[in-house]
Amino acid sequence: MKIAILTDIHGNYPALSAVFSDIDSRADIEHTYCLGDMIGIGPNSNEVLEEIMYRKDVTAVSGNHEESVLKLLQGDDTLPGHEMIAEHHKWIGKQLKKENIKFIENLPQTLEVEIEGQKILMTHYHMKKGEREIIDETPSGLKLDARYEGSPYSLVCFGHHHPIHYEVHPLE
């Protein structure tokens, strides 16, 4: 089974449309997972959310931009580390349609899926409940191996830190 992984779309609907056009042209991709940060930065957060939520072949998780906007919409302070973009997140929150807010309110922070007997973790970033978001500026496969040591996952898919990571480590 082939899947597609999307992450950190950040309101860029033209790019998302191009990616879905490519995915749709490939008959062998059965499902798409979106790993959060669908909103913010770009101007088309509503369009991005609607494209993702109305496709039956897409499952999404929440990212830090969704979480931050939701906190502000609920009258709370922004997420720690997001103070510099709080005004932007307030603006995004005012632009979002009610049904799109409801969609992001119901997103899980992680998904555990099993594909062809392999357990896969889909997440926006490597955080345990209650942890403060801290980006590892020098990620490595060894650090990720240590973080997930003893976990049941054959594969961990994540976004958040925008450089491309491709780490392959043999399973024991």
Side-chain angles (χ1 to χ4, degrees):
M1 175 179 178
K2 287 189 179 181
I3 62 172
I5 306 290
L6 309 176
T7 188
D8 294 270
I9 301 158
H10 288 294
N12 187 343
Y13 184 70
L16 179 64
S17 293
V19 168
F20 274 137
S21 179
D22 183 60
I23 288 170
D24 292 343
S25 74
R26 300 167 189 252
D28 58 344
I29 295 178
E30 294 181 36
H31 199 78
T32 299
Y33 293 92
C34 182
L35 305 183
D37 279 3
M38 295 163 273
I39 65 174
I41 302 175
N44 305 115
S45 292
N46 279 307
E47 293 85 347
V48 166
L49 289 171
E50 290 162 4
E51 181 74 21
I52 289 168
M53 64 193 243
Y54 293 124
R55 289 180 66 107
K56 298 201 183 316
D57 61 340
V58 178
T59 306
V61 300
S62 182
N64 55 294
H65 282 258
E66 286 85 20
E67 299 292 328
S68 184
V69 168
L70 286 176
K71 282 181 69 71
L72 292 169
L73 286 171
Q74 296 162 354
D76 293 334
D77 292 333
T78 191
L79 288 178
H82 290 81
E83 295 83 4
M84 303 250 326
I85 55 173
E87 287 304 314
H88 172 67
H89 281 162
K90 287 177 187 174
W91 180 84
I92 291 291
K94 288 177 185 172
Q95 306 305 311
L96 289 178
K97 296 177 183 176
K98 287 181 182 172
E99 61 269 20
N100 295 346
I101 293 169
K102 188 172 255 352
F103 173 72
I104 63 174
E105 286 175 335
N106 291 312
L107 289 172
Q109 290 186 330
T110 62
L111 284 173
E112 294 180 9
V113 299
E114 189 167 320
I115 299 173
E116 296 180 358
Q118 301 298 311
K119 289 190 178 198
I120 302 171
L121 175 65
M122 305 287 182
T123 186
H124 184 64
Y125 197 63
H126 320 283
M127 291 173 44
K128 295 177 183 160
K129 282 235 184 270
E131 277 187 354
R132 183 170 184 266
E133 171 192 1
I134 299 172
I135 299 172
D136 183 351
E137 298 295 339
T138 58
S140 72
L142 293 175
K143 289 179 184 177
L144 292 173
D145 285 349
R147 180 163 198 93
Y148 291 101
E149 184 175 2
S151 79
Y153 308 116
S154 301
L155 178 64
V156 176
C157 300
F158 64 96
H160 188 63
H161 187 55
H162 296 179
I164 295 172
H165 302 293
Y166 181 72
E167 300 282 345
V168 177
H169 295 262
L171 301 173
E172 296 180 40

